[in-house]
Amino acid sequence: MTSAARGRTGRSPRDVPLSGLRRAVGVRLGTLPLAAAARGAVALAVPLLVGMLTGAVVPSVLAAIGALWGVSQDGADPYRLRVRRLGLMGLAAALGLLAGELALRVGQQTAVTVCLVAAALVAGSVSLRGAVASVAGMHLLLGVTIGGGIPMPGPWWQAPLALLAGVGLVVVLSAAPWLWRRHDIERAAVLAVYRASSDALSAAGTPAAEAARRRLTAALDHAQQAMRRHWSRGDRAEPEPRALLRAFHTAVRLGEVTSALVWEARPLPPAATRVPLAMAERLLPDARLAPATGSGAACVPAGGAEEADTSGHSAPDGGSDRSAREGAVLDVPAGSPGLRALAELCAETDRVGMPEVALHPPLRPWQGRESHVRYAVLLAVCVLVAQLCALLLHGPRGYWLPMTVAFVYKPDFGPVFRRALHRCAGTVVGVAAIGAVTLLTTDAYALIGAVAAFGALMAVGVRHHYALATLGLTAIVFVLVDLLGDHRALYGARILDTALAAAIVLVAHFALWPDSAAGRASAQTEAALSAAYRYRDLAPTATPSQRHALRRAAYQQLAQARRAAAHAHDEPGRPGRRLPDWEAAIGTAEQLCDAVSARTLAAAPEASVRAAS
């Protein structure tokens, strides 16, 4: 394949801002998460209905705020990870709300400002240390903005408990399916690897092969994340997790074989492309595979008695008849180590006690301690400026300006420019949507129904597009504020405040840290190249388990580096700036890893022959 086919962009620095703008307004299509949408609607409507029926409106609104933030972090990952993320987020938000509430009760705006700046420093210092820490840090700051911007009646402990109750409702709704389908998420993640492998084999020898192999890497990354908590249990796990672990370890080995076949760059027969799905049927018998996917494809190589004897898996007479009954026989050309390895791996799926692969979580390199300090300081500066603007302008700004800064300034969540653009667009449409609703009705129960609809929309937006999530959140906040008794017409003010907060973030970020995305891309690329070279150097002498771990680490970090490079290209930069060609380096490293996989599989039969002699 040519280098152009392997991912070089060929863009000039002048094209980067326009390309980033086009990407910024694009919507990612996919299957609608109907279950998440239903959870979002129920989680937001129930507290408000309870408050209306009991008369406890203020606690119910605070619980709805907790549910709102919980819906924004409700994911499709395994249930234990969801509970951990939502639980830490809820505790951080409640702590922030308590701190902001106590600062507001002092009666001095200086106390609120100091509390906001301190929370921004803490949030910034932890946000770049991982996804869960980032979510907790952001909601700590959000809790302070709400607590310091909205007076809370009642005892000091009531508001944090109400907020936690709302988050707890989302936790219950999100994790409840664990009771009747405990391991469906892990099963779906592992099954996706086999499907992605089949797609990659079908694309072998075509220009689409490289993209298909990257999708396989993404599927393996997701499955590794989903299966991580089961690794330490091993044989002590329940029967279903043990079967899933066996299927996952086989999928890791299948990734090596698929990469080698993609590297060979020759079209494969249908019998070969169906092998991963046949393996999935054997290892995951309850998997929902389409009937036409080649179920029952044979795993036994054919092509002469001599080659069958070399592979050690083709029995005479009866074995070939059995393969023919199961499906098409996999014909292994003499010069294809990848196909031979695929046949051997598929044949091993009927065996017990296949070796496990000792994998480790991927590294998340950043630019070091200096970047953490710089981000924390810049976030605190942006929050301070937003708070001072709210005080100087005397309008209904309150919590909205620092809250918007907390949402927008998240470079670890993607390009800051795109996030700010989506925030402004979502706010404008959200204001228009809730304005249209209030023109039709002002009935409290009708507005609660609107909150449920916008909650469902927000749950969809969380997974598909940040502007859509902002639309739902903006409309919901307007209703919640109205239920708290603030009936002012804030539509124009909120749009202007959002634009002002986004401008504060963009000016501070691109004036004081313009190369943050490029620095992260460079750090990620350097770490990925080191992992690829480590795989190249150590694979020939490593044990199979060590080799698989080295390969997985290399491909994982290369995928992370590719995402970081795309983010850097989406950020506008100084005129005339020329970004490094990270994609070319990453593509070359991916080719290197593919070649190492192919060379390792080609050397395996020779090593076996030498060991036998």
Side-chain angles (χ1 to χ4, degrees):
M1 293 185 187
T2 65
S3 58
R6 290 187 175 268
R8 294 195 183 189
T9 60
R11 292 179 292 180
S12 67
R14 185 179 302 173
D15 297 331
V16 170
L18 292 178
S19 176
L21 184 62
R22 285 193 295 268
R23 286 191 186 185
V25 298
V27 177
R28 200 157 41 106
L29 299 178
T31 304
L32 290 178
L34 298 180
R39 291 196 298 266
V42 172
L44 283 160
V46 167
L48 298 179
L49 288 173
V50 171
M52 294 297 296
L53 294 174
T54 62
V57 177
V58 173
S60 72
V61 170
L62 291 171
I65 292 175
L68 177 69
W69 291 345
V71 169
S72 73
Q73 299 303 322
D74 183 21
D77 44 354
Y79 299 113
R80 285 179 179 265
L81 295 179
R82 295 189 204 181
V83 172
R84 177 170 175 262
R85 182 178 61 253
L86 288 169
L88 290 177
M89 181 275 290
L91 291 174
L95 179 61
L97 181 67
L98 177 61
E101 179 188 6
L102 295 178
L104 184 62
R105 293 191 180 201
V106 171
Q108 298 290 333
Q109 283 297 327
T110 303
V112 175
T113 302
V114 170
C115 188
L116 278 170
V117 173
L121 287 171
V122 174
S125 64
V126 304
S127 286
L128 302 183
R129 299 183 181 274
V132 175
S134 179
V135 167
M138 180 177 71
H139 285 85
L140 172 72
L141 180 55
L142 290 174
V144 174
T145 62
I146 296 298
I150 301 178
M152 302 292 175
W156 60 269
W157 47 264
Q158 186 180 65
L161 286 182
L163 187 81
L164 282 174
V167 177
L169 177 60
V170 177
V171 171
V172 171
L173 293 173
S174 183
W178 176 85
L179 297 173
W180 62 85
R181 51 183 185 95
R182 290 190 179 185
H183 306 294
D184 276 16
I185 294 173
E186 292 92 332
R187 176 182 293 275
V190 175
L191 178 59
V193 178
Y194 288 91
R195 286 174 169 157
S197 176
S198 179
D199 292 342
L201 294 179
S202 299
T206 71
E210 186 65 20
R213 205 270 307 144
R214 290 174 188 161
R215 289 192 293 271
L216 172 60
T217 296
L220 274 167
D221 291 347
H222 178 62
Q224 183 172 335
Q225 174 71 17
M227 295 298 299
R228 181 180 299 173
R229 78 177 185 90
H230 298 293
W231 295 347
S232 59
R233 297 187 178 185
D235 293 336
R236 296 182 290 105
E238 300 174 6
E240 187 174 1
R242 281 204 304 270
L244 289 173
L245 273 173
R246 182 168 180 259
F248 171 69
H249 291 307
T250 305
V252 172
R253 300 172 64 190
L254 178 63
E256 178 182 51
V257 176
T258 303
S259 298
L261 286 168
V262 169
W263 172 257
E264 290 181 11
R266 71 175 81 186
L268 299 175
T273 63
R274 291 194 297 264
V275 165
L277 299 179
M279 295 171 64
E281 285 189 347
R282 295 183 181 189
L283 294 167
L284 302 168
D286 295 332
R288 299 178 182 89
L289 291 168
T293 54
S295 59
C299 300
V300 187
E306 181 178 355
E307 184 170 347
D309 292 339
T310 302
S311 68
H313 301 297
S314 180
D317 300 329
S320 298
D321 292 341
R322 173 176 176 271
S323 298
R325 287 194 302 270
E326 291 180 348
V329 177
L330 179 57
D331 190 10
V332 181
S336 179
L339 274 178
R340 183 182 296 107
L342 180 64
E344 292 175 356
L345 179 60
C346 189
E348 288 183 13
T349 58
D350 290 329
R351 299 180 181 179
V352 180
M354 294 178 64
E356 296 186 353
V357 182
L359 301 179
H360 303 283
L363 298 176
R364 298 183 181 274
W366 190 256
Q367 297 157 265
R369 187 181 300 273
E370 179 185 354
S371 64
H372 289 80
V373 174
R374 181 179 294 190
Y375 171 61
V377 171
L378 285 178
L379 180 60
V381 168
C382 290
V383 168
L384 176 60
V385 173
Q387 178 70 0
L388 292 177
C389 288
L391 296 175
L392 292 174
L393 295 175
H394 300 293
R397 273 81 185 170
Y399 57 88
W400 196 271
L401 279 168
M403 183 184 73
T404 303
V405 168
F407 276 121
V408 169
Y409 201 11
K410 294 294 296 177
D412 54 320
F413 282 9
V416 176
F417 173 76
R418 185 173 66 191
R419 194 170 177 85
L421 181 64
H422 288 177
R423 188 78 193 179
C424 293
T427 300
V428 171
V429 180
V431 165
I434 195 60
V437 171
T438 55
L439 285 177
L440 297 175
T441 180
T442 57
D443 179 73
Y445 289 100
L447 290 178
I448 292 175
V451 166
F454 284 117
L457 185 65
M458 177 182 169
V460 174
V462 165
R463 290 159 177 77
H464 288 273
H465 203 277
Y466 182 59
L468 192 62
T470 301
L471 186 163
L473 184 144
T474 301
I476 292 168
V477 170
F478 268 86
V479 176
L480 298 182
V481 171
D482 184 75
L483 292 174
L484 286 176
D486 189 349
H487 304 300
R488 293 174 295 174
L490 302 176
Y491 302 121
R494 291 316 186 204
I495 293 175
L496 294 177
D497 290 347
T498 300
L500 177 58
I504 291 171
V505 169
L506 292 178
V507 170
H509 182 68
F510 290 111
L512 302 177
W513 202 12
D515 297 325
S516 63
R520 184 178 192 185
S522 295
Q524 292 275 21
T525 302
E526 183 179 352
L529 294 180
S530 297
Y533 296 147
R534 188 162 56 250
Y535 173 46
R536 177 199 62 186
D537 297 337
L538 300 179
T541 58
T543 64
S545 178
Q546 292 171 339
R547 188 179 75 243
H548 294 311
L550 290 168
R551 188 188 70 258
R552 281 270 61 238
Y555 280 120
Q556 276 182 305
Q557 295 196 43
L558 286 167
Q560 291 176 1
R562 189 175 291 281
R563 287 192 294 270
H567 289 168
H569 281 296
D570 283 347
E571 293 280 36
R574 293 186 298 269
R577 179 189 65 161
R578 189 170 188 84
L579 295 175
D581 196 355
W582 297 297
E583 289 86 351
I586 295 167
T588 301
E590 288 173 338
Q591 296 177 47
L592 172 65
C593 292
D594 292 346
V596 171
S597 299
R599 186 177 61 202
T600 302
L601 292 180
E606 299 177 5
S608 300
V609 171
R610 288 197 300 269
S613 61

